[in-house]
């Protein structure tokens, strides 16, 4: 079955560490996205990519980085510059933006 | 600033007690309005896309409607398995089609 796989499901980071969240899709979608979800707030866009080797900053890109070397993969790195990284991170993809998104199951990142 | 506001924040229903969730938005000329269902600890699941005022979509006990300033998600005779958070999202014009704005969601609890 086609879908989006995010890993790991839970991730713990020490202060000052960089961590990378994985996102893989087999839907043949061109566009991919990373969102952050905090309690009581709407999803906020971190980065998005329309095609391979191209990506754009979203509304809260500071402290994050991404790459898009393959159509199927869009990993997110949370750097030590992100001061409040504890959150639920969601990866999504779409064939067309007006069709809605397919989301992964999320990664919960906790700073310890 | 474009905004999406969902109400109520939480809704508690008895099984079989029909009700509606509201999503109001300030976007002019939206390119699409989306409804998603999100279960705890999981990624959102796409439900509907609405494109123009007057449009309606149905799926099982759910019916989504759209006016020029708001959308409603009507739940008819809900069951406990309908308990989830329902997210509304809007795709504004002029953003390259990639900056969907999400509301904070309505948490629905259906008691047997």
């Amino acid at each position: 079955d086609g879908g989006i796989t995010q890993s790991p499901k839970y991730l713990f980071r020490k202060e000052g560490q960089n961590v990378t969240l994985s996102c893989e899709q087999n839907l043949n979608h061109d566009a991919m996205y990373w969102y952050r979800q905090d309690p009581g707030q709407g999803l906020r866009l971190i980065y998005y990519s329309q095609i391979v080797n191209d990506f754009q900053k979203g509304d809260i890109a500071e402290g994050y980085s991404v790459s898009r070397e393959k159509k199927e993969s869009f990993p997110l790195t949370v750097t030590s510059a992100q001061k409040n990284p504890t959150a639920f991170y969601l990866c999504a993809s779409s064939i067309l933006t007006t069709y809605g998104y397919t989301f992964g199951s999320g990664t919960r990142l906790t700073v310890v | 600033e474009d905004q999406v506001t969902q109400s109520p924040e939480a809704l508690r229903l008895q099984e079989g007690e029909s009700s509606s969730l509201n999503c109001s938005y300030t976007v002019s000329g939206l390119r699409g309005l989306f409804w998603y269902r999100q279960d705890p600890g999981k990624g959102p699941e796409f439900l509907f896309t609405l494109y123009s005022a007057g449009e309606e979509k149905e799926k099982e006990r759910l019916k989504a409607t759209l006016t020029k300033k708001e959308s409603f998600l009507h739940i008819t005779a809900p069951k406990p398995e309908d308990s989830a958070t329902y997210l509304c999202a809007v795709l504004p014009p002029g953003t390259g089609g990639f900056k969907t704005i999400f509301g904070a969601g309505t948490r629905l609890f259906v008691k047997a």
Side-chain angles (χ1 to χ4, degrees):
Chain A
D1 288 338
I4 296 182
T5 300
Q6 287 188 244
S7 61
K9 187 173 178 63
Y10 299 97
L11 187 57
F12 297 90
R13 191 193 93 168
K14 293 183 179 180
E15 296 279 354
Q17 278 186 336
N18 293 353
V19 291
T20 297
L21 284 59
S22 171
C23 177
E24 302 278 335
Q25 56 105 351
N26 61 1
L27 299 166
N28 200 34
H29 288 173
D30 286 314
M32 296 188 74
Y33 315 80
W34 274 104
Y35 282 90
R36 169 180 172 141
Q37 187 172 36
D38 295 283
Q41 298 188 41
L43 275 66
R44 292 183 289 167
L45 182 63
I46 304 172
Y47 269 96
Y48 64 94
S49 169
Q50 302 176 52
I51 56 173
V52 175
N53 293 321
D54 181 71
F55 48 83
Q56 305 295 328
K57 293 182 179 180
D59 300 318
I60 56 166
E62 184 175 352
Y64 300 98
S65 66
V66 294
S67 63
R68 187 87 186 275
E69 297 177 0
K70 298 185 301 181
K71 186 175 185 177
E72 300 79 16
S73 179
F74 191 40
L76 173 74
T77 296
V78 184
T79 75
S80 58
Q82 170 52 235
K83 297 307 178 187
N84 185 24
T86 295
F88 190 50
Y89 291 87
L90 289 161
C91 179
S93 71
S94 66
I95 188 165
L96 287 174
T97 57
T98 52
Y99 282 10
Y101 298 163
T102 300
F103 282 90
S105 57
T107 293
R108 186 166 299 280
L109 173 63
T110 304
V111 174
V112 295
Chain B
E1 182 181 340
D2 295 330
Q3 285 190 326
V4 177
T5 304
Q6 292 189 246
S7 62
E9 289 185 14
L11 180 62
R12 297 180 185 276
L13 300 174
Q14 289 291 127
E15 184 173 4
E17 180 185 2
S18 301
S19 187
S20 296
L21 283 56
N22 177 263
C23 171
S24 63
Y25 55 92
T26 58
V27 174
S28 296
L30 82 170
R31 298 177 61 195
L33 184 141
F34 311 92
W35 283 98
Y36 294 86
R37 170 193 170 125
Q38 184 175 24
D39 292 305
K42 297 188 177 181
E45 175 188 350
F46 173 77
L47 292 173
F48 305 109
T49 305
L50 301 168
Y51 295 105
S52 57
E55 188 175 0
E56 299 181 352
K57 294 267 180 80
E58 287 189 66
K59 180 180 180 179
E60 297 181 354
R61 295 177 292 282
L62 301 177
K63 178 180 175 180
T65 62
L66 181 63
T67 70
K68 287 189 176 181
K69 288 298 180 186
E70 58 190 354
S71 176
F72 292 93
L73 185 65
H74 307 278
I75 303 177
T76 302
K79 298 181 178 182
E81 53 261 43
D82 293 323
S83 297
T85 295
Y86 291 86
L87 303 176
C88 171
V90 167
L91 182 61
T95 60
F98 293 93
K99 291 192 174 183
T100 301
I101 303 170
F102 283 82
T106 292
R107 290 191 300 164
L108 175 65
F109 304 92
V110 182
K111 186 176 180 181

